[in-house]
Amino acid sequence: MLTDSYGRVATDLRVSLTDRCNLRCSYCMPPEGLDWLPGPDQLTDDELVRLLGIAVQRLGITEIRFTGGEPILRRGLAGIIARTAALTPRPELSLTTNGIGLARLAGPLHEAGLDRVNVSLDTLDAETFVRLARRDRLPDVLAGLAAAAATGLAPVKVNAVLMRDANDLEAPDLLQYCLDQGYQMRFIEQMPLDAQHGWRRENMVTADEILQALSSKFALTPDDPGARGSAPAETFLVDGGPARVGVIGSVTRPFCGSCDRVRLTADGQVRNCLFAREESDLRTALRAGADDEDLAARWQSAVASKLPGHGINDPGFLQPARPMSAIGG
Ligand code: SAM
Ligand code: SF4
């Protein structure tokens, strides 16, 4: 098992398949993009599937989420999903994506073994989309969402980050759209993980503000807190239910005490937290011929040293060197 010194057990693995992206969301990366990982640094499909096998068969990982960057840009995505779905015991497989290309790929990915998707959608207004993501792709995202639902990927979750003076007034409209379409809406507080280091606490739209904005149009009733488990989202019944909305207050309502996640970057580094300042290099060991037992032991010791919390609210907080897009959000 992947246990840390505070008794938490990691069972949920987030895997970044690439640091590249076809959008440039302003809370994530600069307009010009970033220096992408050189190809040879990236794990090959075979290397990646081997590490996923170790995670599932030796380390107790039961859930794998593919993310990035934009995971749909990873060539061979369907093959990676199919090979991961063939592992025993079969892990639950999900994808976090900006939705571009999902209209064409939702069916094949579902057939390959994908169980669920989270699609990021910050606005329903095409001009605001261009302002936030610096690309004119809103119709592609909406088509991707519709295809995911039509093909039976369930539930379809929608993630939104609210930015002051950009899309913060859209929270009720986004929720209404998701209620109409049968998607589960979740709002995420903006975190200090952008490549430009432009995050400012005073600009962040807080969980309290999000709930206040939603309450102007909907009656929200807190869900049974016992049912939350290690889920980062606090959920609320909307207008008596059964529909729900989630709010992920990573900064103002941290959930580190019940965190069950561990991360693997596209270049084979284990990170025990989004905000970790240290990584454990599995790729070099793997390429030097380490056996499965050795790789599993390295992974265990990477998780063992996980800190109790992300420290964003500490005066000495330092943002990690890698941005969200290179860690795998
Ligand atoms: N490209 C995919 C996407 O956008 O869904 C997957 C990677 S993206 C880094 C994963 C999630 O992180 C998205 O829902 C995105 O909105 C969120 N995200 C990115 N930067 C963030 C930040 N600074 N604070 C909070 N969430 C962020
Ligand atoms: Fe790309 Fe996702 Fe970052 Fe937006 S949030 S720039 S879609 S990686």
Side-chain angles (χ1 to χ4, degrees):
M1 292 220 295
L2 291 170
T3 312
D4 68 35
S5 60
Y6 298 89
R8 294 167 297 186
V9 180
T11 53
D12 177 347
L13 173 62
R14 313 261 148 162
V15 181
S16 175
L17 292 180
T18 176
D19 60 338
R20 291 169 190 259
C21 194
N22 42 12
L23 294 183
R24 297 286 183 271
C25 304
S26 54
Y27 50 74
C28 184
M29 58 171 89
E32 64 278 14
L34 297 165
D35 289 335
W36 312 124
L37 280 174
D41 286 4
Q42 197 168 277
L43 295 177
T44 64
D45 292 3
D46 286 348
E47 289 171 335
L48 174 62
V49 173
R50 178 169 167 215
L51 291 180
L52 298 184
I54 292 170
V56 167
Q57 285 153 1
R58 293 177 177 255
L59 297 171
I61 291 295
T62 56
E63 192 172 344
I64 297 180
R65 172 171 296 277
F66 296 107
T67 179
E70 177 43 51
I72 285 183
L73 297 181
R74 171 84 182 223
R75 232 176 278 143
L77 173 61
I80 292 170
I81 289 175
R83 291 171 69 185
T84 311
L87 294 171
T88 316
R90 184 196 189 285
E92 278 237 4
L93 299 180
S94 55
L95 181 76
T96 297
T97 170
N98 63 28
I100 296 171
L102 199 55
R104 186 172 55 81
L105 279 177
L109 294 182
H110 190 31
E111 247 165 60
L114 184 67
D115 298 307
R116 296 180 280 113
V117 281
N118 285 23
V119 177
S120 303
L121 173 69
D122 299 324
T123 176
L124 295 164
D125 178 76
E127 279 177 28
T128 309
F129 190 96
V130 175
R131 228 171 106 211
L132 278 172
R134 306 189 181 105
R135 300 285 187 272
D136 191 5
R137 305 298 295 268
L138 177 62
D140 302 270
V141 179
L142 298 182
L145 270 166
T151 198
L153 289 165
V156 172
K157 292 189 183 171
V158 170
N159 293 344
V161 177
L162 296 179
M163 301 285 284
R164 214 173 284 294
D165 302 327
N167 63 340
D168 53 334
L169 302 181
E170 269 195 74
D173 292 347
L174 281 164
L175 176 54
Q176 186 63 57
Y177 179 78
C178 288
L179 295 174
D180 294 345
Q181 306 295 324
Y183 310 148
Q184 285 185 19
M185 180 81 228
R186 293 138 35 106
F187 294 93
I188 308 174
E189 276 180 351
Q190 188 196 359
M191 294 179 278
L193 284 171
D194 57 313
Q196 317 85 295
H197 291 221
W199 181 89
R200 297 288 173 272
R201 178 177 299 272
E202 57 276 17
N203 292 341
M204 175 184 62
V205 180
T206 63
D208 282 352
E209 289 176 284
I210 296 165
L211 289 170
Q212 206 176 352
L214 295 176
S215 300
S216 68
K217 184 161 172 194
F218 302 97
L220 302 183
T221 323
D223 231 340
D224 170 15
R228 183 173 172 189
S230 56
E234 267 177 83
T235 51
F236 298 82
L237 292 174
V238 181
D239 292 338
R244 288 174 164 79
V245 63
V247 177
I248 304 181
S250 320
V251 179
T252 64
R253 303 175 179 201
F255 37 85
C256 304
S258 58
C259 178
D260 64 355
R261 295 171 180 196
V262 59
R263 297 180 142 80
L264 181 67
T265 64
D267 56 348
Q269 312 296 306
V270 171
R271 295 182 62 94
N272 58 27
C273 172
L274 258 180
F275 293 91
R277 299 188 53 77
E278 281 175 19
E279 303 182 334
S280 301
D281 182 7
L282 292 189
R283 187 195 61 201
T284 301
L286 183 154
R287 290 185 180 171
D291 62 14
D292 287 4
E293 199 178 329
D294 180 0
L295 291 167
R298 286 168 190 267
W299 205 322
Q300 279 174 316
S301 84
V303 171
S305 60
K306 179 164 168 154
L307 294 175
H310 55 43
I312 302 174
N313 301 312
D314 300 345
F317 171 73
L318 285 175
Q319 199 172 320
R322 286 209 211 215
M324 177 82 128
S325 57
I327 296 170

